[in-house]
């Protein structure tokens, strides 16, 4: 649920046919043709960011099926806050992974110092090395995910700035900012 609103009997859930995320009616009221692989013949309901993505190849974008309202900036602000909170959660997970790696390194150093039982020390070192490899692999996946989310957040920020410009200026064509 990316728009951040609570759903009830009067506020129904709608999903974007392109990305599959859950939105309220206002956040998903755009319509756009989908790629052939989606097997839809007509224009389908999509969210703001998917509408921009699907129509990015056009020199001039077609207008959404409704006019932008003042409350659209609130919707975009909620989406931005959601992206930022997810980004902060990922950063915290990376910091936790760094701490775990540091603890494993200290454990490895302590294991190397103790020479009571050579066989048990070697088994422990092998086990911790495997765990460290797994942690490093997980850390690398987190870094890649954070990089992707940072790129999406930057694109969302650019789109938000564009939508604010469009809303404030009253003009309805893109200025070449959406990639």
């Amino acid at each position: 649920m990316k728009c951040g609103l609570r759903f009830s009997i009067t506020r129904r859930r709608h999903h974007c046919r392109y990305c599959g995320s859950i939105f309220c009616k206002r956040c998903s009221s755009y319509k756009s043709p989908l790629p052939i692989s989606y097997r839809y013949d007509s224009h389908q309901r999509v969210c703001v960011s998917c509408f921009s993505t699907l129509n990015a190849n056009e020199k001039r974008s077609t207008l959404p099926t409704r006019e932008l309202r003042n409350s659209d900036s609130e919707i975009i602000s909620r989406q931005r806050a959601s992206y930022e909170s997810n980004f902060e959660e990922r950063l915290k997970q990376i910091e936790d992974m760094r701490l775990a790696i540091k603890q494993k390194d200290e454990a490895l150093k302590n294991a190397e110092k103790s020479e009571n039982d050579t066989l048990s020390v070697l088994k422990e070192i092998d086990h911790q090395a495997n765990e460290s490899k797994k942690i490093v692999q997980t850390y690398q996946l987190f870094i890649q995910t954070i990089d992707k989310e940072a790129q999406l957040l930057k694109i969302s920020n650019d789109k938000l700035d564009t939508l604010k410009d469009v809303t404030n200026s009253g003009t309805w064509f893109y200025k070449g900012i959406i990639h």
Side-chain angles (χ1 to χ4, degrees):
M1 295 188 302
K2 289 196 175 182
C3 80
L5 293 176
R6 289 185 174 255
F7 297 103
S8 66
I9 294 174
T10 58
R11 185 178 292 132
R12 297 186 58 208
R13 298 173 191 220
H14 299 276
H15 71 278
C16 171
R17 301 295 195 280
Y18 190 65
C19 68
S21 297
I22 304 293
F23 295 95
C24 66
K25 182 177 181 178
R26 182 177 286 156
C27 292
S28 66
S29 63
Y30 298 89
K31 296 206 179 243
S32 181
L34 298 180
I36 294 172
S37 62
Y38 282 79
R39 296 185 177 131
Y40 287 110
D41 294 334
S42 62
H43 287 61
Q44 295 294 315
R45 178 187 297 270
V46 294
C47 63
V48 174
S49 57
C50 290
F51 179 81
S52 298
T53 302
L54 289 168
N55 294 305
N57 294 335
E58 298 178 16
K59 290 182 180 176
R60 262 183 82 150
S61 172
T62 57
L63 287 176
T65 57
R66 63 178 178 84
E67 292 183 17
L68 293 175
R69 297 182 203 105
N70 291 337
S71 60
D72 286 345
S73 62
E74 295 173 9
I75 293 167
I76 293 169
S77 296
R78 282 196 307 270
Q79 288 179 343
R80 177 186 265 180
S82 173
Y83 289 137
E84 289 174 349
S85 68
N86 289 341
F87 184 73
E88 291 173 1
E89 289 174 15
R90 296 286 188 190
L91 285 177
K92 183 176 179 342
Q93 290 174 346
I94 288 172
E95 289 301 320
D96 292 344
M97 294 301 292
R98 285 181 182 164
L99 180 62
I101 289 171
K102 189 175 185 179
Q103 291 173 348
K104 292 294 180 181
D105 287 342
E106 290 175 7
L108 282 172
K109 289 177 184 176
N110 291 337
E112 289 173 0
K113 291 178 183 177
S114 77
E115 297 177 356
N116 295 339
D117 187 6
T118 305
L119 185 59
S120 66
V121 169
L122 290 175
K123 286 181 182 179
E124 181 67 24
I125 290 172
D126 186 46
H127 176 71
Q128 290 182 359
N130 288 335
E131 285 186 19
S132 294
K133 287 178 186 177
K134 290 177 185 176
I135 290 171
V136 168
Q137 290 171 348
T138 305
Y139 176 76
Q140 290 171 342
L141 287 173
F142 276 119
I143 292 294
Q144 290 172 355
T145 304
I146 291 300
D147 288 343
K148 288 178 184 176
E149 288 180 2
Q151 290 171 353
L152 288 174
L153 184 59
K154 183 182 182 313
I155 290 170
S156 294
N157 288 342
D158 292 344
K159 289 177 184 177
L160 176 63
D161 294 338
T162 302
L163 287 174
K164 283 183 179 177
D165 290 345
V166 168
T167 303
N168 292 336
S169 69
T171 57
W172 297 104
F173 55 88
Y174 286 105
K175 300 175 183 176
I177 296 177
I178 298 177
H179 300 280

